[in-house]
Amino acid sequence: MARALAWTTPGATKLDWGLTVVQPNPAAAADAVSVRLHELGEPELVAACLEGRIGAFDLIVERHRRTVYQLCYRFVGNHEDASDLSQDVFLRAYRGLKNFRGQSSLSTWLHRISVNVCLNRVSVKAPQTEPIENEQHVDTRSESPSEHVLRGERAVRVRAAVARLPEKQRAALILRMYHDMSHQEIADAVGSSVGAVKANVFHALQNLKRLIGEDVR
Amino acid sequence: MHLNEGQLIDLAEGTRPESAEPHLASCARCRAELSELRAVMSVAAGVEVPEPSPLFWDHLSMRVHDAVAAEATRPRGSAALGLGRASSLWSWRVLLPAAALAALVAAAAVSIRSPSDMGGGGSPAGTASIGGVDSGVDVARLVDDDPLLSLLADLAGELDWDDVVGAGLTTSSWSVDRVVLEMSADERRELRRILSEELTKS
Protein backbone atom coordinates (compact mmCIF):
# COMPACT_ATOMS: atom_id res chain seq x y z
CA MET A 1 0.00 0.00 0.00
CA ALA A 2 1.42 3.37 -0.96
CA ARG A 3 0.79 6.62 0.89
CA ALA A 4 1.14 9.90 -0.92
CA LEU A 5 -0.11 13.43 -0.95
CA ALA A 6 -2.62 13.46 -3.74
CA TRP A 7 -5.86 14.87 -4.99
CA THR A 8 -8.78 12.62 -4.26
CA THR A 9 -9.53 10.49 -7.22
CA PRO A 10 -12.22 7.86 -7.77
CA GLY A 11 -11.21 4.75 -5.88
CA ALA A 12 -8.93 6.62 -3.48
CA THR A 13 -9.58 6.96 0.25
CA LYS A 14 -9.40 10.42 1.86
CA LEU A 15 -7.81 10.30 5.31
CA ASP A 16 -8.43 12.74 8.16
CA TRP A 17 -4.91 14.17 8.19
CA GLY A 18 -5.04 15.16 4.55
CA LEU A 19 -3.14 12.24 3.16
CA THR A 20 -4.64 10.08 0.46
CA VAL A 21 -4.07 6.39 0.34
CA VAL A 22 -3.64 5.38 -3.28
CA GLN A 23 -4.61 1.79 -3.83
CA PRO A 24 -2.62 0.04 -6.54
CA ASN A 25 -4.99 -0.77 -9.39
CA PRO A 26 -3.65 -3.66 -11.50
CA ALA A 27 -6.42 -3.29 -14.08
CA ALA A 28 -5.64 0.37 -14.59
CA ALA A 29 -1.92 -0.40 -14.83
CA ALA A 30 -2.61 -3.10 -17.40
CA ASP A 31 -4.77 -0.68 -19.37
CA ALA A 32 -1.97 1.87 -19.31
CA VAL A 33 0.51 -0.68 -20.68
CA SER A 34 -2.03 -1.73 -23.28
CA VAL A 35 -2.64 1.85 -24.35
CA ARG A 36 1.07 2.43 -24.71
CA LEU A 37 1.41 -0.71 -26.83
CA HIS A 38 -1.45 0.38 -29.05
CA GLU A 39 0.37 3.63 -29.66
CA LEU A 40 3.49 1.89 -30.91
CA GLY A 41 4.41 1.73 -34.56
CA GLU A 42 5.47 -1.52 -36.16
CA PRO A 43 9.23 -1.36 -35.44
CA GLU A 44 8.62 -0.43 -31.81
CA LEU A 45 6.03 -3.16 -31.47
CA VAL A 46 8.44 -5.74 -32.84
CA ALA A 47 11.11 -4.46 -30.46
CA ALA A 48 8.63 -4.74 -27.59
CA CYS A 49 7.99 -8.36 -28.56
CA LEU A 50 11.67 -9.13 -28.59
CA GLU A 51 12.02 -7.49 -25.17
CA GLY A 52 9.36 -9.89 -23.94
CA ARG A 53 6.70 -7.29 -23.24
CA ILE A 54 3.48 -9.06 -22.45
CA GLY A 55 0.76 -8.41 -25.00
CA ALA A 56 3.00 -7.04 -27.74
CA PHE A 57 2.74 -10.10 -29.95
CA ASP A 58 -0.98 -10.40 -29.18
CA LEU A 59 -1.34 -6.92 -30.62
CA ILE A 60 0.53 -7.89 -33.79
CA VAL A 61 -1.83 -10.82 -34.16
CA GLU A 62 -4.84 -8.59 -33.60
CA ARG A 63 -3.69 -6.12 -36.25
CA HIS A 64 -2.88 -8.66 -38.94
CA ARG A 65 -5.13 -11.66 -38.25
CA ARG A 66 -7.78 -10.69 -40.77
CA THR A 67 -5.46 -10.26 -43.75
CA VAL A 68 -3.48 -13.38 -42.85
CA TYR A 69 -6.69 -15.40 -42.55
CA GLN A 70 -8.05 -14.05 -45.83
CA LEU A 71 -4.83 -14.85 -47.66
CA CYS A 72 -4.85 -18.38 -46.25
CA TYR A 73 -8.53 -18.78 -47.12
CA ARG A 74 -7.92 -17.81 -50.72
CA PHE A 75 -5.15 -20.36 -50.89
CA VAL A 76 -7.07 -23.31 -49.51
CA GLY A 77 -10.68 -22.32 -50.11
CA ASN A 78 -12.14 -23.36 -46.76
CA HIS A 79 -12.42 -21.99 -43.23
CA GLU A 80 -11.02 -24.91 -41.25
CA ASP A 81 -7.72 -25.10 -43.08
CA ALA A 82 -7.46 -21.32 -43.29
CA SER A 83 -7.88 -21.12 -39.53
CA ASP A 84 -5.18 -23.73 -38.87
CA LEU A 85 -2.85 -22.13 -41.39
CA SER A 86 -3.34 -18.69 -39.85
CA GLN A 87 -2.31 -20.03 -36.47
CA ASP A 88 0.72 -21.64 -38.06
CA VAL A 89 1.66 -18.39 -39.79
CA PHE A 90 1.67 -16.45 -36.53
CA LEU A 91 3.57 -19.16 -34.71
CA ARG A 92 6.26 -19.08 -37.38
CA ALA A 93 6.27 -15.31 -37.27
CA TYR A 94 6.82 -15.47 -33.52
CA ARG A 95 9.73 -17.87 -34.00
CA GLY A 96 11.27 -15.73 -36.71
CA LEU A 97 10.62 -12.31 -35.23
CA LYS A 98 14.24 -11.89 -34.21
CA ASN A 99 15.16 -12.14 -37.90
CA PHE A 100 12.72 -9.44 -38.99
CA ARG A 101 14.95 -6.58 -40.14
CA GLY A 102 12.25 -4.09 -40.97
CA GLN A 103 13.32 -3.89 -44.60
CA SER A 104 9.72 -4.52 -45.60
CA SER A 105 6.55 -3.75 -43.71
CA LEU A 106 5.40 -6.22 -41.10
CA SER A 107 2.37 -7.04 -43.25
CA THR A 108 4.55 -7.82 -46.28
CA TRP A 109 6.74 -10.00 -44.09
CA LEU A 110 3.66 -11.80 -42.75
CA HIS A 111 2.36 -12.25 -46.30
CA ARG A 112 5.64 -13.88 -47.21
CA ILE A 113 5.38 -16.27 -44.28
CA SER A 114 1.74 -16.95 -45.15
CA VAL A 115 2.61 -17.83 -48.73
CA ASN A 116 5.34 -20.20 -47.58
CA VAL A 117 3.10 -21.84 -45.00
CA CYS A 118 0.28 -22.21 -47.52
CA LEU A 119 2.54 -23.56 -50.25
CA ASN A 120 4.00 -26.11 -47.84
CA ARG A 121 0.53 -27.17 -46.74
CA VAL A 122 -1.14 -27.33 -50.13
CA SER A 123 1.69 -29.36 -51.56
CA VAL A 124 0.76 -32.19 -49.22
CA LYS A 125 -2.99 -31.69 -49.06
CA ALA A 126 -5.52 -31.19 -51.82
CA PRO A 127 -7.69 -28.11 -51.19
CA GLN A 128 -11.13 -28.79 -49.72
CA THR A 129 -13.20 -25.94 -50.98
CA GLU A 130 -16.33 -24.78 -49.23
CA PRO A 131 -19.82 -26.01 -50.16
CA ILE A 132 -22.05 -23.48 -51.88
CA GLU A 133 -24.33 -23.07 -48.87
CA ASN A 134 -21.45 -21.65 -46.88
CA GLU A 135 -21.71 -18.35 -48.67
CA GLN A 136 -22.64 -15.91 -45.92
CA HIS A 137 -22.67 -12.35 -44.61
CA VAL A 138 -23.70 -10.90 -47.95
CA ASP A 139 -25.64 -7.66 -48.17
CA THR A 140 -28.79 -8.78 -50.00
CA ARG A 141 -30.82 -5.61 -49.60
CA SER A 142 -30.29 -4.36 -53.16
CA GLU A 143 -30.69 -7.61 -55.08
CA SER A 144 -33.41 -10.13 -55.76
CA PRO A 145 -33.27 -13.60 -54.21
CA SER A 146 -32.29 -15.12 -57.54
CA GLU A 147 -29.53 -12.56 -58.02
CA HIS A 148 -28.31 -13.28 -54.51
CA VAL A 149 -28.17 -17.02 -55.19
CA LEU A 150 -26.38 -16.53 -58.51
CA ARG A 151 -23.87 -14.16 -56.99
CA GLY A 152 -23.21 -16.53 -54.10
CA GLU A 153 -22.71 -19.47 -56.44
CA ARG A 154 -20.35 -17.48 -58.62
CA ALA A 155 -18.31 -16.37 -55.60
CA VAL A 156 -17.94 -19.95 -54.44
CA ARG A 157 -17.00 -21.05 -57.95
CA VAL A 158 -14.38 -18.31 -58.30
CA ARG A 159 -12.85 -19.04 -54.89
CA ALA A 160 -12.75 -22.75 -55.69
CA ALA A 161 -11.13 -21.99 -59.04
CA VAL A 162 -8.49 -19.80 -57.40
CA ALA A 163 -7.75 -22.57 -54.91
CA ARG A 164 -7.24 -25.00 -57.83
CA LEU A 165 -4.67 -22.89 -59.66
CA PRO A 166 -1.08 -24.10 -59.80
CA GLU A 167 0.77 -22.94 -56.70
CA LYS A 168 2.93 -20.17 -58.14
CA GLN A 169 0.07 -18.76 -60.20
CA ARG A 170 -2.17 -18.87 -57.16
CA ALA A 171 0.37 -17.08 -54.97
CA ALA A 172 1.01 -14.38 -57.57
CA LEU A 173 -2.68 -13.79 -58.27
CA ILE A 174 -3.75 -13.68 -54.63
CA LEU A 175 -0.98 -11.35 -53.53
CA ARG A 176 -1.44 -9.05 -56.50
CA MET A 177 -5.21 -8.95 -56.73
CA TYR A 178 -6.33 -9.24 -53.13
CA HIS A 179 -3.42 -7.95 -51.08
CA ASP A 180 -2.25 -5.12 -53.27
CA MET A 181 1.38 -6.13 -53.28
CA SER A 182 3.62 -4.82 -56.05
CA HIS A 183 5.16 -7.21 -58.55
CA GLN A 184 8.52 -6.59 -56.92
CA GLU A 185 7.19 -7.37 -53.42
CA ILE A 186 5.61 -10.58 -54.71
CA ALA A 187 8.85 -11.51 -56.44
CA ASP A 188 10.70 -11.01 -53.15
CA ALA A 189 8.09 -12.99 -51.25
CA VAL A 190 8.12 -16.03 -53.52
CA GLY A 191 11.78 -15.86 -54.49
CA SER A 192 11.16 -15.07 -58.12
CA SER A 193 11.62 -12.27 -60.68
CA VAL A 194 9.21 -9.49 -61.60
CA GLY A 195 8.88 -10.93 -65.10
CA ALA A 196 8.03 -14.37 -63.72
CA VAL A 197 5.45 -12.86 -61.39
CA LYS A 198 3.73 -11.04 -64.26
CA ALA A 199 3.76 -14.22 -66.33
CA ASN A 200 2.24 -16.14 -63.40
CA VAL A 201 -0.52 -13.55 -62.96
CA PHE A 202 -1.22 -13.69 -66.69
CA HIS A 203 -1.50 -17.49 -66.76
CA ALA A 204 -3.48 -17.49 -63.52
CA LEU A 205 -6.07 -15.21 -65.11
CA GLN A 206 -6.21 -17.33 -68.24
CA ASN A 207 -6.70 -20.50 -66.20
CA LEU A 208 -9.27 -18.77 -64.04
CA LYS A 209 -11.22 -17.81 -67.15
CA ARG A 210 -11.17 -21.42 -68.31
CA LEU A 211 -12.24 -22.72 -64.90
CA ILE A 212 -15.12 -20.33 -64.30
CA GLY A 213 -16.06 -20.22 -68.00
CA GLU A 214 -19.43 -18.68 -68.60
CA ASP A 215 -19.16 -16.19 -65.74
CA VAL A 216 -16.65 -14.11 -67.68
CA ARG A 217 -18.53 -11.69 -69.90
CA MET B 1 5.00 -8.75 -82.95
CA HIS B 2 2.26 -9.30 -80.36
CA LEU B 3 2.34 -7.97 -76.83
CA ASN B 4 3.95 -10.31 -74.31
CA GLU B 5 2.46 -11.47 -71.00
CA GLY B 6 4.10 -8.75 -68.96
CA GLN B 7 2.94 -5.96 -71.27
CA LEU B 8 -0.63 -7.29 -71.30
CA ILE B 9 -0.68 -7.51 -67.48
CA ASP B 10 0.64 -3.95 -67.16
CA LEU B 11 -2.10 -2.72 -69.51
CA ALA B 12 -4.81 -4.79 -67.81
CA GLU B 13 -3.82 -3.52 -64.38
CA GLY B 14 -3.56 0.03 -65.64
CA THR B 15 0.03 0.50 -64.59
CA ARG B 16 0.86 1.29 -68.21
CA PRO B 17 -1.38 3.40 -70.51
CA GLU B 18 -2.64 1.91 -73.78
CA SER B 19 -1.07 4.83 -75.60
CA ALA B 20 2.32 3.44 -74.60
CA GLU B 21 1.66 0.38 -76.80
CA PRO B 22 0.97 1.56 -80.38
CA HIS B 23 0.72 -2.08 -81.48
CA LEU B 24 -2.56 -2.42 -79.63
CA ALA B 25 -4.41 -0.06 -81.97
CA SER B 26 -3.57 -2.20 -84.97
CA CYS B 27 -3.90 -5.72 -83.50
CA ALA B 28 -7.37 -7.17 -82.89
CA ARG B 29 -5.92 -10.29 -81.26
CA CYS B 30 -4.03 -8.34 -78.59
CA ARG B 31 -7.06 -6.12 -77.97
CA ALA B 32 -9.25 -9.20 -77.49
CA GLU B 33 -6.74 -10.76 -75.15
CA LEU B 34 -6.53 -7.58 -73.11
CA SER B 35 -10.30 -7.37 -72.94
CA GLU B 36 -10.59 -10.95 -71.66
CA LEU B 37 -7.96 -10.34 -69.02
CA ARG B 38 -9.80 -7.29 -67.77
CA ALA B 39 -13.08 -9.20 -67.67
CA VAL B 40 -11.75 -12.07 -65.62
CA MET B 41 -9.95 -9.64 -63.31
CA SER B 42 -13.21 -7.83 -62.76
CA VAL B 43 -15.04 -11.05 -61.89
CA ALA B 44 -12.29 -12.26 -59.55
CA ALA B 45 -11.78 -8.92 -57.84
CA GLY B 46 -15.41 -8.75 -56.74
CA VAL B 47 -15.23 -11.99 -54.79
CA GLU B 48 -14.62 -11.51 -51.09
CA VAL B 49 -13.65 -14.11 -48.54
CA PRO B 50 -16.71 -15.09 -46.50
CA GLU B 51 -16.68 -13.28 -43.18
CA PRO B 52 -16.36 -15.82 -40.36
CA SER B 53 -18.28 -15.59 -37.13
CA PRO B 54 -17.46 -12.44 -35.14
CA LEU B 55 -16.29 -14.73 -32.34
CA PHE B 56 -13.74 -16.31 -34.62
CA TRP B 57 -11.19 -13.48 -34.42
CA ASP B 58 -10.84 -13.60 -30.67
CA HIS B 59 -10.78 -17.37 -30.83
CA LEU B 60 -7.95 -17.23 -33.37
CA SER B 61 -6.03 -14.75 -31.21
CA MET B 62 -6.47 -17.04 -28.23
CA ARG B 63 -5.26 -20.07 -30.17
CA VAL B 64 -2.19 -18.17 -31.30
CA HIS B 65 -1.58 -16.87 -27.79
CA ASP B 66 -1.74 -20.39 -26.37
CA ALA B 67 0.50 -21.78 -29.10
CA VAL B 68 3.05 -19.04 -28.53
CA ALA B 69 2.91 -19.57 -24.77
CA ALA B 70 3.49 -23.28 -25.28
CA GLU B 71 6.33 -22.44 -27.63
CA ALA B 72 7.92 -20.17 -25.05
CA THR B 73 7.88 -22.88 -22.39
CA ARG B 74 9.02 -25.66 -24.70
CA PRO B 75 12.71 -26.68 -24.58
CA ARG B 76 14.66 -24.72 -27.18
CA GLY B 77 15.80 -27.82 -29.09
CA SER B 78 12.34 -29.18 -29.74
CA ALA B 79 11.02 -25.74 -30.70
CA ALA B 80 13.76 -25.30 -33.23
CA LEU B 81 12.99 -28.69 -34.68
CA GLY B 82 9.36 -27.75 -34.99
CA LEU B 83 8.14 -30.75 -33.03
CA GLY B 84 4.39 -30.87 -33.05
CA ARG B 85 1.59 -32.42 -31.08
CA ALA B 86 2.22 -35.95 -32.25
CA SER B 87 5.88 -35.84 -31.39
CA SER B 88 5.18 -34.45 -27.93
CA LEU B 89 2.88 -37.38 -27.27
CA TRP B 90 5.59 -39.68 -28.52
CA SER B 91 8.13 -38.03 -26.28
CA TRP B 92 5.94 -38.49 -23.21
CA ARG B 93 5.50 -42.18 -23.98
CA VAL B 94 9.23 -42.61 -24.20
CA LEU B 95 10.39 -40.12 -21.63
CA LEU B 96 8.11 -41.23 -18.82
CA PRO B 97 9.46 -44.79 -18.50
CA ALA B 98 12.94 -43.51 -19.30
CA ALA B 99 12.68 -40.97 -16.49
CA ALA B 100 11.41 -43.66 -14.13
CA LEU B 101 14.27 -45.89 -15.14
CA ALA B 102 16.77 -43.07 -14.69
CA ALA B 103 15.38 -42.32 -11.24
CA LEU B 104 15.61 -45.98 -10.26
CA VAL B 105 19.17 -46.26 -11.50
CA ALA B 106 20.14 -43.04 -9.76
CA ALA B 107 18.50 -44.25 -6.59
CA ALA B 108 20.42 -47.50 -6.87
CA ALA B 109 23.61 -45.55 -7.38
CA VAL B 110 22.87 -43.49 -4.32
CA SER B 111 22.05 -46.49 -2.21
CA ILE B 112 24.88 -48.68 -3.35
CA ARG B 113 27.61 -46.06 -3.53
CA SER B 114 26.58 -43.20 -1.25
CA PRO B 115 29.28 -41.88 1.06
CA SER B 116 27.35 -42.97 4.14
CA ASP B 117 27.39 -46.52 2.91
CA MET B 118 31.04 -46.35 2.03
CA GLY B 119 32.33 -45.93 5.51
CA GLY B 120 31.29 -42.38 6.24
CA GLY B 121 28.03 -43.07 8.01
CA GLY B 122 28.85 -45.67 10.60
CA SER B 123 28.21 -48.84 8.59
CA PRO B 124 31.18 -51.00 7.83
CA ALA B 125 32.38 -50.65 4.27
CA GLY B 126 30.53 -53.00 1.96
CA THR B 127 27.54 -53.62 4.19
CA ALA B 128 24.05 -52.21 3.75
CA SER B 129 22.26 -50.15 6.33
CA ILE B 130 18.53 -50.81 6.33
CA GLY B 131 16.31 -48.37 8.15
CA GLY B 132 19.36 -46.93 9.80
CA VAL B 133 20.24 -50.28 11.32
CA ASP B 134 23.23 -52.23 10.13
CA SER B 135 21.84 -55.30 8.40
CA GLY B 136 25.14 -57.03 8.19
CA VAL B 137 24.43 -57.81 4.52
CA ASP B 138 27.47 -57.90 2.26
CA VAL B 139 26.44 -55.53 -0.54
CA ALA B 140 29.18 -56.60 -2.96
CA ARG B 141 28.19 -60.25 -2.68
CA LEU B 142 24.50 -59.39 -2.88
CA VAL B 143 25.05 -57.44 -6.08
CA ASP B 144 27.14 -60.20 -7.61
CA ASP B 145 24.56 -62.83 -6.74
CA ASP B 146 21.48 -60.98 -7.92
CA PRO B 147 21.19 -60.30 -11.68
CA LEU B 148 18.76 -57.42 -11.07
CA LEU B 149 21.09 -55.65 -8.68
CA SER B 150 24.00 -56.35 -11.03
CA LEU B 151 22.10 -54.70 -13.83
CA LEU B 152 21.27 -51.69 -11.67
CA ALA B 153 24.86 -51.48 -10.43
CA ASP B 154 26.19 -51.57 -14.00
CA LEU B 155 23.79 -48.84 -15.06
CA ALA B 156 24.66 -46.77 -12.03
CA GLY B 157 28.39 -47.34 -12.45
CA GLU B 158 28.79 -44.43 -14.83
CA LEU B 159 26.90 -41.96 -12.65
CA ASP B 160 28.80 -39.31 -10.78
CA TRP B 161 27.76 -38.85 -7.16
CA ASP B 162 27.89 -35.05 -7.33
CA ASP B 163 25.72 -35.09 -10.46
CA VAL B 164 23.16 -37.28 -8.75
CA VAL B 165 23.02 -35.00 -5.72
CA GLY B 166 22.91 -31.95 -7.96
CA ALA B 167 19.99 -33.42 -9.88
CA GLY B 168 18.04 -33.85 -6.64
CA LEU B 169 17.79 -37.60 -7.09
CA THR B 170 19.11 -38.58 -3.69
CA THR B 171 16.90 -40.64 -1.42
CA SER B 172 17.14 -41.57 2.18
CA SER B 173 20.03 -43.96 2.53
CA TRP B 174 17.92 -47.04 3.17
CA SER B 175 14.79 -46.68 1.09
CA VAL B 176 15.84 -48.40 -2.15
CA ASP B 177 17.77 -51.08 -0.31
CA ARG B 178 14.68 -51.88 1.67
CA VAL B 179 12.39 -51.92 -1.36
CA VAL B 180 14.68 -54.17 -3.37
CA LEU B 181 15.56 -56.49 -0.50
CA GLU B 182 11.93 -56.87 0.44
CA MET B 183 10.93 -57.92 -3.06
CA SER B 184 9.99 -61.51 -3.65
CA ALA B 185 11.91 -63.53 -6.21
CA ASP B 186 9.01 -63.14 -8.65
CA GLU B 187 8.92 -59.37 -8.14
CA ARG B 188 12.63 -59.10 -8.79
CA ARG B 189 12.30 -61.21 -11.92
CA GLU B 190 9.49 -58.95 -13.16
CA LEU B 191 11.43 -55.78 -12.41
CA ARG B 192 14.46 -57.22 -14.20
CA ARG B 193 12.29 -58.09 -17.19
CA ILE B 194 10.82 -54.55 -17.33
CA LEU B 195 14.21 -52.89 -17.04
CA SER B 196 15.74 -55.15 -19.69
CA GLU B 197 12.79 -54.48 -21.98
CA GLU B 198 13.17 -50.72 -21.59
CA LEU B 199 16.90 -50.91 -22.17
CA THR B 200 16.37 -52.96 -25.33
CA LYS B 201 13.97 -50.30 -26.62
CA SER B 202 16.43 -47.51 -26.02
Side-chain angles (χ1 to χ4, degrees):
Chain A
M1 183 184 296
R3 286 191 172 184
L5 280 169
W7 287 276
T8 305
T9 55
T13 309
K14 186 76 175 175
L15 299 180
D16 289 338
W17 56 84
L19 291 174
T20 302
V21 176
V22 180
Q23 301 280 2
N25 185 342
D31 282 349
V33 170
S34 175
V35 166
R36 284 197 291 274
L37 280 176
H38 274 89
E39 290 168 354
L40 294 179
E42 281 188 351
E44 294 81 15
L45 198 54
V46 171
C49 283
L50 295 174
E51 287 165 9
R53 280 185 67 180
I54 296 169
F57 192 73
D58 290 339
L59 192 54
I60 287 178
V61 174
E62 189 182 326
R63 286 181 182 177
H64 295 278
R65 61 193 180 190
R66 182 178 292 273
T67 51
V68 166
Y69 168 82
Q70 288 180 339
L71 195 157
C72 294
Y73 190 103
R74 291 199 190 275
F75 251 91
V76 294
N78 72 84
H79 171 75
E80 291 302 320
D81 285 339
S83 174
D84 288 346
L85 287 168
S86 302
Q87 181 183 335
D88 204 10
V89 167
F90 284 116
L91 194 56
R92 287 185 191 216
Y94 174 77
R95 287 176 188 159
L97 206 56
K98 59 182 178 298
N99 300 320
F100 176 66
R101 302 283 175 232
Q103 289 165 335
S104 62
S105 68
L106 195 56
S107 64
T108 300
W109 184 67
L110 285 169
H111 285 157
R112 189 179 306 160
I113 296 173
S114 303
V115 169
N116 287 328
V117 167
C118 289
L119 288 178
N120 285 340
R121 172 70 69 92
V122 295
S123 63
V124 295
K125 186 176 181 183
Q128 299 286 321
T129 51
E130 77 215 281
I132 284 175
E133 61 268 25
N134 272 11
E135 180 61 19
Q136 55 186 324
H137 300 288
V138 173
D139 184 359
T140 58
R141 285 170 294 187
S142 60
E143 62 187 1
S144 69
S146 61
E147 284 172 335
H148 167 61
V149 169
L150 284 173
R151 198 165 66 84
E153 286 177 354
R154 173 191 281 187
V156 170
R157 203 155 45 237
V158 170
R159 283 194 294 267
V162 170
R164 286 171 58 194
L165 291 171
E167 291 172 3
K168 287 185 177 176
Q169 292 178 21
R170 197 184 331 169
L173 183 78
I174 290 170
L175 295 176
R176 181 70 184 140
M177 185 160 285
Y178 301 110
H179 294 274
D180 208 28
M181 286 174 71
S182 71
H183 295 125
Q184 183 63 60
E185 286 174 327
I186 298 169
D188 292 342
V190 300
S192 181
S193 66
V194 168
V197 169
K198 287 182 182 177
N200 276 320
V201 173
F202 176 84
H203 290 295
L205 290 170
Q206 283 205 323
N207 282 327
L208 207 54
K209 174 175 168 285
R210 183 175 52 79
L211 288 167
I212 56 181
E214 75 282 5
D215 277 330
V216 181
R217 303 278 184 253
Chain B
M1 191 167 181
H2 294 295
L3 297 177
N4 64 30
E5 296 156 350
Q7 289 168 319
L8 285 167
I9 285 297
D10 285 342
L11 292 171
E13 289 178 346
T15 55
R16 191 174 173 84
E18 289 187 17
S19 58
E21 299 292 353
H23 169 77
L24 199 60
S26 60
C27 180
R29 179 181 149 183
C30 285
R31 280 201 306 275
E33 200 156 20
L34 180 60
S35 174
E36 283 180 356
L37 282 177
R38 283 176 173 158
V40 73
M41 282 173 75
S42 171
V43 169
V47 174
E48 297 295 330
V49 167
E51 182 68 15
S53 152
L55 299 175
F56 168 72
W57 300 114
D58 285 341
H59 178 65
L60 176 62
S61 287
M62 204 178 301
R63 281 176 61 184
V64 173
H65 181 91
D66 291 347
V68 165
E71 179 89 2
T73 57
R74 189 182 298 174
R76 194 171 293 174
S78 61
L81 291 170
L83 298 178
R85 203 178 304 157
S87 56
S88 69
L89 284 174
W90 178 87
S91 64
W92 273 110
R93 283 182 189 144
V94 171
L95 288 178
L96 210 55
L101 176 61
L104 187 55
V105 169
V110 171
S111 300
I112 293 170
R113 304 189 305 127
S114 68
S116 64
D117 288 342
M118 290 190 288
S123 298
T127 61
S129 172
I130 301 173
V133 178
D134 186 2
S135 65
V137 175
D138 184 342
V139 172
R141 193 167 60 80
L142 188 68
V143 168
D144 286 342
D145 290 345
D146 191 313
L148 171 59
L149 289 178
S150 293
L151 176 62
L152 288 172
D154 286 342
L155 291 169
E158 298 300 319
L159 288 179
D160 181 80
W161 167 254
D162 291 332
D163 290 343
V164 172
V165 174
L169 292 171
T170 51
T171 62
S172 58
S173 62
W174 49 270
S175 55
V176 173
D177 306 50
R178 189 175 65 180
V179 169
V180 174
L181 291 172
E182 285 179 358
M183 281 180 174
S184 68
D186 286 341
E187 287 169 336
R188 288 188 186 197
R189 261 196 302 277
E190 180 61 11
L191 179 56
R192 186 167 66 242
R193 187 190 65 73
I194 292 169
L195 286 172
S196 300
E197 198 176 301
E198 290 300 328
L199 286 171
T200 308
K201 283 181 191 171
S202 62

